[in-house]
Amino acid sequence: MGCNCGGGARRTVTLYQLTLPDGTVRHYYTWQEAEAANQRAGGTGTILIIQQ
């Protein structure tokens, strides 16, 4: 009989990618973390939601 290795539905992970004006890119697991880091960096970055 064949193996059904990992045959279940894939779980989606949401990441928040903070990109700062100097080109620095960081990933966070919550919007609050990304927003706090953005504010610490001067509040000029952009936050992009990524589904993986």
Side-chain angles (χ1 to χ4, degrees), residues 35-52:
E35 180 60 27
N38 187 28
Q39 292 305 314
R40 286 192 304 272
T44 57
T46 57
I47 300 172
L48 179 68
I49 301 170
I50 300 175
Q51 301 285 331
Q52 290 186 334

Side-chain angles (χ1 to χ4, degrees), residues 1 3 5 10 13 17 24 29 33 37-40 43-44:
M1 190 148 192
C3 173
C5 301
R10 284 188 58 166
V13 176
Q17 177 179 296
T24 302
Y29 288 104
E33 287 178 303
N38 187 28
Q39 292 305 314
R40 286 192 304 272
T44 57

